[in-house]
Amino acid sequence: MSALDSLHLTAIPPEAEALRAQVRAFLQDAVTRIPAHVRARSWGGYDSNLSRELGQRGFLGLTLPKEYGGGGRTPFDRYVVVEEFLNFGAPVGSHWIAERQSAPLILKYGSEEQKRSFIPAICRGEMYFCIGMSEPNAGSDLASVKTRATRNDKGWVLNGQKIWTTNAHNCHCMIALVRTSGTGEDRQKGLSQVIVDLKLPGVTVRPITDLSGDSHFCEVFFDNVQLAADAVLGREGDGWEQVMSELAFERSGPERLFSSIVLFDEWLAYVRTPQGRTPESVRLAGRIIAQLAPLRAMSVAVTGKLARGDSPVVEAALVKDLGTGVEQSIPALIADDLFRRPAHEVPLELLRTLNYVTQAAPSFSLRGGTRDILRGMIARGLGLR
């Protein structure tokens, strides 16, 4: 049986859907006054006050155990909450990675001390993590990691560099994939994950300004950074397996479909007006929704597998690859529609939102795994490699 045979039509349980009204009521008051071109940044947006508020209301760490400050609920509950965050364009970037994948990773592989040190603070929206995977000159070849942690009498000494690290300049810690034994030729062997306090001496974080003018990507340099002996997450040498598990968390959520959703909603609001409605725009709206609807169903099906305790690595890669394709097509299709109209008839805020999403869209198929990497995984899942 192929791994892809398991994406059955799955319904979100009523008890999870019941959360939607609570989240919407809060976000309606907290977010909707923010201009659309700012809300379009959503999980790239930084608002530590909002993150703390979400933590206090129990909207973070929903799937984590109550003994570590979580909600003890199901992946479906988290799916509903995240979907509402994205649909409203809530600026959730500060806690996003910590809550989505760092905390589940620590829960799965961490020591008891690591769980109690980090997970409750993440659930409160007070501690933020970034991911240290990509390195210069490595492209998508994650196994070519050169950053190295070497044992000494105090623990580990870390040297090397990471790049394209989202939000590192605002984070407290990084979970970095590093080499703890062997050489670069050993590929997946000898890799481990370490938790790095980004305020330690020897750590330098340098933001990179992107095409849109934002600076949420960073370079991170490690120059003889002294880590404690317990900085290793999980078992030394199991880093590759752990990273693959982490990436399944990253690729399986609704964020891989909805990066352009604020723009789409803003454009739909214009198309619903007498001056914005044309036969062509109505057909385009139907065309986009017809692509989003089955992708959302696939994403919910992946969530169903997570709820059953499976690890849907291949299925998540499939949804991510197809989802980012649709996300990238939305600004191009909307631009084609708007630029056929007299410029003075199109709302300025809609154009500003289109401008931002158009500039950000090329990154949609890079973050969380490039298209080529994902398609290789899908081919392997289908038995074609």
Side-chain angles (χ1 to χ4, degrees), residues 101-111 114-115 118-119 122 129 175 195 233:
Q101 59 199 88
S102 301
L105 192 72
I106 293 169
L107 179 69
K108 186 172 183 179
Y109 297 107
S111 65
Q114 288 169 336
K115 293 174 187 177
F118 299 116
I119 296 176
I122 291 172
F129 276 67
I175 295 181
I195 300 176
L233 176 66

Side-chain angles (χ1 to χ4, degrees), residues 256 259-260 320 324 327-328 331 357 360-367 369:
R256 300 309 179 185
S259 298
S260 301
K320 200 263 180 184
T324 51
E327 288 179 328
Q328 288 176 325
V357 178
S363 70
F364 295 169
S365 53
L366 298 176
R367 58 196 186 192

Side-chain angles (χ1 to χ4, degrees), residues 218-230:
C218 297
E219 294 175 287
V220 184
F221 302 87
F222 307 110
D223 182 11
N224 289 318
V225 179
Q226 181 64 59
L227 303 179
D230 61 358

Side-chain angles (χ1 to χ4, degrees), residues 323-339:
T324 51
V326 173
E327 288 179 328
Q328 288 176 325
S329 74
I330 289 175
L333 293 169
I334 289 177
D336 287 344
D337 174 68
L338 294 182
F339 293 156

Side-chain angles (χ1 to χ4, degrees), residues 4-314:
L4 303 185
D5 289 340
S6 59
L7 280 181
H8 301 298
L9 191 61
T10 303
I12 296 177
E15 55 271 25
E17 282 290 354
L19 264 175
R20 200 178 295 278
Q22 300 175 40
V23 185
R24 283 185 179 179
F26 170 70
L27 294 176
Q28 187 71 36
D29 182 56
V31 172
T32 51
R33 282 169 290 189
I34 301 174
H37 77 278
V38 177
R39 287 189 288 111
R41 286 162 168 80
S42 195
W43 51 289
Y46 181 88
D47 187 335
S48 57
N49 291 329
L50 179 72
S51 294
R52 287 174 185 268
E53 180 74 19
L54 293 174
Q56 289 171 7
R57 291 174 178 268
F59 293 149
L60 301 184
L62 281 164
T63 62
L64 299 168
K66 291 183 177 180
E67 64 179 299
Y68 299 119
R73 304 186 64 148
T74 72
F76 287 111
D77 296 279
R78 184 177 183 276
Y79 190 97
V80 166
V81 171
V82 169
E83 194 170 51
E84 292 305 316
F85 288 167
L86 297 169
N87 281 329
F88 275 84
V92 294
S94 46
H95 68 261
W96 189 253
I97 290 170
E99 195 267 351
R100 178 181 66 185
Q101 59 199 88
S102 301
L105 192 72
I106 293 169
L107 179 69
K108 186 172 183 179
Y109 297 107
S111 65
E112 187 61 27
E113 184 176 354
Q114 288 169 336
K115 293 174 187 177
R116 297 200 179 279
S117 294
F118 299 116
I119 296 176
I122 291 172
C123 293
R124 292 194 301 269
E126 296 174 353
M127 177 168 278
Y128 316 138
F129 276 67
C130 57
I131 306 165
M133 293 188 190
S134 299
E135 295 192 358
N137 305 315
S140 295
D141 186 9
L142 190 58
S144 67
V145 160
K146 294 180 179 175
T147 297
R148 179 176 290 273
T150 306
R151 283 186 187 275
N152 69 358
D153 56 356
K154 297 178 183 176
W156 300 89
V157 178
L158 183 63
N159 282 287
Q161 180 187 352
K162 298 293 180 180
I163 196 168
W164 311 124
T165 310
T166 302
N167 211 22
H169 56 318
N170 291 317
C171 286
H172 303 93
C173 296
M174 169 191 285
I175 295 181
L177 181 67
V178 303
R179 193 162 294 285
T180 50
S181 64
T183 68
E185 286 69 35
D186 293 329
R187 307 294 293 167
Q188 293 99 337
K189 298 177 181 176
L191 296 174
S192 304
Q193 288 186 298
V194 293
I195 300 176
V196 184
D197 181 340
L198 294 177
K199 290 187 174 55
L200 285 173
V203 177
T204 302
V205 179
R206 185 181 300 163
I208 302 170
T209 303
D210 65 17
L211 183 66
S212 68
D214 289 341
S215 301
H216 56 275
F217 289 135
C218 297
E219 294 175 287
V220 184
F221 302 87
F222 307 110
D223 182 11
N224 289 318
V225 179
Q226 181 64 59
L227 303 179
D230 61 358
V232 172
L233 176 66
R235 292 198 313 178
E236 183 193 346
D238 284 355
W240 183 260
E241 176 190 340
Q242 293 177 200
V243 143
M244 292 301 107
S245 174
E246 180 179 1
L247 286 171
F249 289 119
E250 182 174 358
R251 293 168 179 157
S252 59
E255 61 267 35
R256 300 309 179 185
L257 319 175
F258 291 167
S259 298
S260 301
I261 203 69
V262 171
L263 168 65
F264 183 52
D265 280 345
E266 192 77 0
W267 174 76
L268 273 182
Y270 173 58
V271 170
R272 291 189 183 103
T273 66
Q275 65 270 30
R277 185 185 180 95
T278 66
E280 293 80 12
S281 63
V282 172
R283 281 196 293 272
L284 177 57
R287 177 181 164 190
I288 293 173
I289 290 172
Q291 295 179 74
L292 284 173
L295 278 170
R296 179 180 183 269
M298 292 169 67
S299 181
V300 173
V302 170
T303 303
K305 288 184 70 71
L306 289 173
R308 292 192 294 275
D310 297 339
S311 182
V313 174
V314 176

Side-chain angles (χ1 to χ4, degrees), residues 323-379:
T324 51
V326 173
E327 288 179 328
Q328 288 176 325
S329 74
I330 289 175
L333 293 169
I334 289 177
D336 287 344
D337 174 68
L338 294 182
F339 293 156
R340 284 196 294 263
R341 305 163 183 258
H344 67 276
E345 292 183 1
V346 180
L348 178 59
E349 185 58 27
L350 175 55
L351 290 175
R352 295 178 75 183
T353 308
L354 172 63
N355 182 54
Y356 168 73
V357 178
T358 299
Q359 292 176 330
S363 70
F364 295 169
S365 53
L366 298 176
R367 58 196 186 192
T370 63
R371 187 163 281 141
D372 291 341
I373 293 292
L374 296 173
R375 290 181 179 178
M377 295 172 63
I378 295 164

